[in-house]
Amino acid sequence: MKHQRLFVFSAFSLISVVIIRTIQLMFLTDNKTGFFITGLEGIGTALTVLAVLLIALSGMMIFLSKKEKIDPVPTPSYLVGGSAILAGVAHIIEPLLGTEGLISVPQILLTLRLLLLPIAGAVFIYFGLSIILEKNPHFGLSVFLVLCLVIRLMTSFIGLTGMSNISENMFDVLMLVSTLIFILFFSKAICGLSRSTGYRRLIAVGVTAVLFTAASSLPTIIVLVIMGVNLSHTPIDSPITGIFTALFIACYLINICRKNKPV
């Protein structure tokens, strides 16, 4: 596996970040307001900084490793194809879950969001089936993934302005920003528009996107399962969509970094 140390450290960071965020939500956060409990703000903020630093360091580690030649087009894989299909299904289902938290979003942007989510889902499914069936997909369709994330980021940011400025909001935005940048680099790479041979920026942003998604989505689910408590923070973007998208990114990065992959 190329960049093996990066993946090992990233796995450590993922576990650490999820534990840190779960501790924050279970013991340091007021469930009714979403803010840190009075007197524990310093500890809560320090843990947030630690989580962000771990994620940033994980992404930067690729630039400390020996440069390897990478082919950004994934080889046929049930893992990559299946994860892409799951991400696609999650995108298609998300508009059916309602638009809670998007009341302040202009109708034109909300309509674009509801249209682009299933289109992006269809593109993910098309890519997934093509990868499994060893077909050559039209990678140019990835432009719809970029457009979907741009509109998603715009509408989510507008929706968040009407909510409390709590740490969950920050991780939600960082998840969307890092995922958008990854999809942009991914689209350029698979369409042959990038001149890189090592694709280190693609891998770095992919790792940070996965970790920010884990920090944003997994702790809330863990707290709900362990404590049976619904937190006051209601995510605008479906955590399930984020998790399956991050799963696709992780499977894709592992695929292109396999040593037996032809380049």
Coordinates of all heavy atoms in Angstrom, one line a residue, residues 51-99:
A51 N -9.1 18.2 18.1 CA -9.7 17.5 17.0 C -9.3 18.0 15.7 O -8.9 17.3 14.7 CB -11.2 17.4 17.2
V52 N -9.4 19.4 15.5 CA -9.1 20.0 14.3 C -7.6 19.8 13.9 O -7.3 19.6 12.8 CB -9.5 21.5 14.3 CG1 -9.0 22.2 13.1 CG2 -11.0 21.7 14.4
L53 N -6.8 20.0 14.9 CA -5.3 19.8 14.7 C -5.0 18.4 14.2 O -4.2 18.2 13.3 CB -4.5 20.1 15.9 CG -4.4 21.6 16.3 CD1 -3.7 21.8 17.6 CD2 -3.7 22.4 15.2
L54 N -5.6 17.4 14.8 CA -5.4 16.0 14.4 C -5.8 15.8 13.0 O -5.1 15.1 12.2 CB -6.2 15.0 15.3 CG -5.6 14.6 16.6 CD1 -6.5 13.8 17.5 CD2 -4.3 13.8 16.3
I55 N -7.0 16.3 12.6 CA -7.4 16.2 11.2 C -6.5 16.9 10.3 O -6.1 16.4 9.2 CB -8.9 16.8 11.1 CG1 -9.8 15.9 11.9 CG2 -9.3 16.8 9.6 CD1 -11.2 16.5 12.0
A56 N -6.1 18.1 10.6 CA -5.1 18.9 9.8 C -3.8 18.1 9.6 O -3.3 18.1 8.5 CB -4.9 20.3 10.3
L57 N -3.3 17.6 10.7 CA -2.0 16.9 10.6 C -2.2 15.6 9.8 O -1.2 15.3 9.0 CB -1.6 16.5 12.1 CG -0.3 15.7 12.2 CD1 0.9 16.5 11.6 CD2 0.0 15.4 13.7
S58 N -3.3 14.9 9.9 CA -3.5 13.7 9.0 C -3.4 14.1 7.6 O -2.8 13.4 6.7 CB -4.9 13.1 9.4 OG -4.9 12.7 10.7
G59 N -4.1 15.2 7.2 CA -4.1 15.6 5.8 C -2.7 16.0 5.3 O -2.3 15.8 4.2
M60 N -1.9 16.7 6.2 CA -0.6 17.2 5.8 C 0.4 16.1 5.7 O 1.5 16.3 5.1 CB -0.2 18.3 6.8 CG -1.0 19.6 6.8 SD -0.5 20.7 8.1 CE 1.2 21.0 7.7
M61 N 0.2 15.0 6.4 CA 1.2 13.9 6.4 C 1.6 13.4 5.0 O 2.7 12.9 4.8 CB 0.7 12.7 7.2 CG 0.9 12.8 8.7 SD 0.7 11.3 9.6 CE 2.1 10.3 8.9
I62 N 0.7 13.5 4.0 CA 1.0 13.1 2.7 C 2.1 13.8 2.1 O 2.9 13.3 1.3 CB -0.3 13.2 1.8 CG1 0.0 12.6 0.4 CG2 -0.7 14.7 1.7 CD1 0.1 11.2 0.4
F63 N 2.3 15.1 2.5 CA 3.4 15.9 2.0 C 4.7 15.6 2.7 O 5.8 16.2 2.3 CB 3.0 17.4 2.2 CG 1.8 17.8 1.4 CD1 0.6 18.0 2.1 CD2 1.8 18.0 0.0 CE1 -0.6 18.4 1.4 CE2 0.7 18.3 -0.7 CZ -0.5 18.5 0.0
L64 N 4.7 14.8 3.7 CA 5.9 14.4 4.4 C 6.4 13.1 3.9 O 7.4 12.6 4.3 CB 5.7 14.4 5.9 CG 5.2 15.7 6.6 CD1 4.9 15.5 8.1 CD2 6.2 16.8 6.3
S65 N 5.6 12.4 3.1 CA 5.9 11.1 2.6 C 6.6 11.2 1.2 O 6.5 12.2 0.6 CB 4.6 10.3 2.5 OG 3.9 10.2 3.7
K66 N 7.2 10.1 0.9 CA 7.9 10.1 -0.4 C 6.8 10.1 -1.5 O 5.8 9.5 -1.4 CB 8.6 8.7 -0.6 CG 9.3 8.5 -1.9 CD 9.9 7.2 -2.0 CE 10.5 6.9 -3.4 NZ 11.1 5.5 -3.5
K67 N 7.1 10.9 -2.5 CA 6.1 11.1 -3.6 C 6.0 9.8 -4.4 O 7.0 9.3 -4.9 CB 6.5 12.3 -4.5 CG 5.4 12.7 -5.5 CD 5.8 13.9 -6.3 CE 4.7 14.4 -7.2 NZ 5.1 15.6 -7.9
E68 N 4.8 9.3 -4.6 CA 4.5 8.1 -5.3 C 3.7 8.4 -6.6 O 2.8 9.3 -6.5 CB 3.7 7.1 -4.4 CG 4.4 6.7 -3.2 CD 5.3 5.5 -3.3 OE1 5.4 5.0 -4.5 OE2 5.8 5.0 -2.3
K69 N 3.9 7.7 -7.6 CA 3.1 7.8 -8.8 C 1.7 7.2 -8.6 O 1.6 6.0 -8.3 CB 3.8 7.2 -10.0 CG 3.1 7.6 -11.4 CD 3.9 7.1 -12.5 CE 3.3 7.5 -13.9 NZ 4.0 7.0 -15.0
I70 N 0.7 8.0 -8.9 CA -0.7 7.5 -8.6 C -1.5 7.6 -9.9 O -1.4 8.6 -10.6 CB -1.4 8.3 -7.5 CG1 -0.6 8.2 -6.2 CG2 -2.8 8.0 -7.3 CD1 -0.7 6.9 -5.5
D71 N -2.4 6.6 -10.1 CA -3.3 6.7 -11.2 C -4.7 7.0 -10.6 O -5.2 6.2 -9.8 CB -3.4 5.4 -12.0 CG -4.5 5.4 -13.1 OD1 -5.1 6.4 -13.3 OD2 -4.6 4.4 -13.8
P72 N -5.3 8.2 -10.8 CA -6.5 8.6 -10.2 C -7.8 7.8 -10.6 O -8.8 7.9 -9.9 CB -6.6 10.1 -10.5 CG -6.0 10.2 -11.9 CD -4.8 9.2 -11.8
V73 N -7.7 7.1 -11.7 CA -8.9 6.3 -12.1 C -8.9 5.0 -11.4 O -7.9 4.2 -11.5 CB -8.8 6.1 -13.6 CG1 -10.0 5.2 -14.1 CG2 -8.8 7.4 -14.4
P74 N -9.9 4.7 -10.6 CA -9.9 3.5 -9.8 C -10.0 2.2 -10.6 O -10.6 2.2 -11.7 CB -11.2 3.7 -8.9 CG -12.1 4.6 -9.8 CD -11.2 5.5 -10.5
T75 N -9.4 1.2 -10.2 CA -9.5 -0.1 -10.8 C -10.9 -0.7 -10.5 O -11.5 -0.4 -9.5 CB -8.4 -1.1 -10.4 OG1 -8.4 -1.1 -8.9 CG2 -7.1 -0.6 -10.8
P76 N -11.4 -1.7 -11.3 CA -12.7 -2.4 -10.9 C -12.7 -2.9 -9.5 O -11.7 -3.6 -9.1 CB -12.8 -3.5 -12.0 CG -12.0 -3.0 -13.1 CD -10.8 -2.2 -12.5
S77 N -13.7 -2.5 -8.8 CA -13.7 -2.9 -7.4 C -15.2 -2.9 -6.9 O -15.9 -1.9 -7.0 CB -12.9 -1.9 -6.5 OG -13.1 -2.1 -5.2
Y78 N -15.6 -4.0 -6.3 CA -16.9 -4.1 -5.7 C -17.0 -3.1 -4.5 O -18.1 -2.6 -4.2 CB -17.2 -5.5 -5.2 CG -17.6 -6.4 -6.3 CD1 -16.6 -7.4 -6.8 CD2 -18.8 -6.4 -7.0 CE1 -16.9 -8.3 -7.8 CE2 -19.1 -7.2 -8.0 CZ -18.2 -8.2 -8.4 OH -18.4 -9.0 -9.5
L79 N -15.9 -2.9 -3.8 CA -15.9 -2.0 -2.6 C -16.1 -0.6 -3.0 O -17.0 0.1 -2.5 CB -14.5 -2.2 -1.9 CG -14.5 -1.6 -0.4 CD1 -15.5 -2.3 0.4 CD2 -13.1 -1.8 0.1
V80 N -15.3 -0.1 -4.0 CA -15.5 1.3 -4.5 C -16.8 1.5 -5.2 O -17.6 2.4 -4.9 CB -14.3 1.7 -5.5 CG1 -14.5 3.1 -6.0 CG2 -13.0 1.5 -4.8
G81 N -17.2 0.5 -6.0 CA -18.5 0.6 -6.7 C -19.6 0.6 -5.8 O -20.6 1.3 -5.9
G82 N -19.6 -0.4 -4.8 CA -20.7 -0.5 -3.9 C -20.8 0.8 -3.0 O -22.0 1.2 -2.7
S83 N -19.7 1.3 -2.6 CA -19.8 2.5 -1.7 C -20.3 3.7 -2.5 O -21.1 4.6 -2.0 CB -18.4 2.9 -1.2 OG -17.5 3.1 -2.2
A84 N -20.0 3.8 -3.8 CA -20.5 4.8 -4.7 C -22.0 4.7 -4.9 O -22.8 5.7 -4.8 CB -19.8 4.8 -6.1
I85 N -22.5 3.5 -5.0 CA -23.9 3.2 -5.1 C -24.7 3.6 -3.9 O -25.7 4.2 -3.9 CB -24.2 1.7 -5.5 CG1 -23.7 1.5 -6.9 CG2 -25.7 1.4 -5.4 CD1 -23.7 0.0 -7.3
L86 N -24.1 3.3 -2.7 CA -24.7 3.6 -1.4 C -24.8 5.2 -1.3 O -25.8 5.7 -0.8 CB -23.9 3.0 -0.3 CG -24.0 1.5 -0.1 CD1 -23.1 1.0 1.0 CD2 -25.5 1.1 0.2
A87 N -23.7 5.8 -1.7 CA -23.7 7.3 -1.6 C -24.8 7.9 -2.5 O -25.5 8.8 -2.2 CB -22.3 7.8 -2.0
G88 N -24.9 7.2 -3.7 CA -25.9 7.7 -4.6 C -27.3 7.5 -4.1 O -28.2 8.4 -4.2
V89 N -27.6 6.4 -3.5 CA -29.0 6.1 -2.9 C -29.3 7.1 -1.8 O -30.4 7.6 -1.7 CB -29.1 4.7 -2.4 CG1 -30.4 4.5 -1.6 CG2 -29.0 3.7 -3.6
A90 N -28.2 7.4 -1.0 CA -28.4 8.3 0.1 C -28.8 9.7 -0.4 O -29.6 10.4 0.2 CB -27.2 8.4 1.0
H91 N -28.1 10.1 -1.5 CA -28.4 11.5 -2.1 C -29.8 11.5 -2.6 O -30.5 12.5 -2.5 CB -27.4 11.8 -3.2 CG -26.1 12.3 -2.8 ND1 -25.1 11.6 -2.2 CD2 -25.6 13.6 -2.8 CE1 -24.1 12.3 -1.9 NE2 -24.4 13.6 -2.2
I92 N -30.3 10.4 -3.2 CA -31.6 10.4 -3.8 C -32.7 10.4 -2.7 O -33.7 11.1 -2.9 CB -31.8 9.2 -4.7 CG1 -30.9 9.3 -6.0 CG2 -33.2 9.0 -5.1 CD1 -30.8 8.0 -6.8
I93 N -32.4 9.8 -1.6 CA -33.4 9.7 -0.6 C -33.5 11.0 0.3 O -34.5 11.4 0.8 CB -33.1 8.5 0.4 CG1 -33.3 7.2 -0.4 CG2 -34.0 8.5 1.6 CD1 -33.0 6.0 0.4
E94 N -32.3 11.7 0.4 CA -32.3 12.9 1.3 C -33.4 13.9 1.1 O -33.9 14.4 2.0 CB -30.9 13.5 1.2 CG -30.7 14.7 2.1 CD -29.3 15.2 2.2 OE1 -28.4 14.5 1.7 OE2 -29.1 16.3 2.8
P95 N -33.7 14.3 -0.2 CA -34.8 15.3 -0.4 C -36.1 14.8 0.2 O -37.0 15.6 0.5 CB -34.9 15.4 -1.9 CG -33.5 15.0 -2.4 CD -33.1 13.9 -1.5
L96 N -36.3 13.5 0.4 CA -37.6 13.0 0.9 C -37.7 13.1 2.4 O -38.8 12.9 3.0 CB -37.7 11.5 0.5 CG -37.6 11.2 -1.0 CD1 -37.7 9.6 -1.2 CD2 -38.7 11.9 -1.8
L97 N -36.5 13.5 3.0 CA -36.5 13.5 4.5 C -37.0 14.9 5.0 O -37.0 15.1 6.2 CB -35.1 13.3 5.0 CG -34.5 11.9 4.6 CD1 -33.1 11.7 5.1 CD2 -35.4 10.8 5.1
G98 N -37.3 15.8 4.1 CA -37.8 17.2 4.5 C -36.7 18.2 4.4 O -35.5 17.9 4.1
T99 N -37.1 19.5 4.6 CA -36.1 20.6 4.5 C -36.1 21.4 5.8 O -36.0 22.6 5.9 CB -36.6 21.5 3.4 OG1 -38.0 22.0 3.6 CG2 -36.5 20.9 2.0

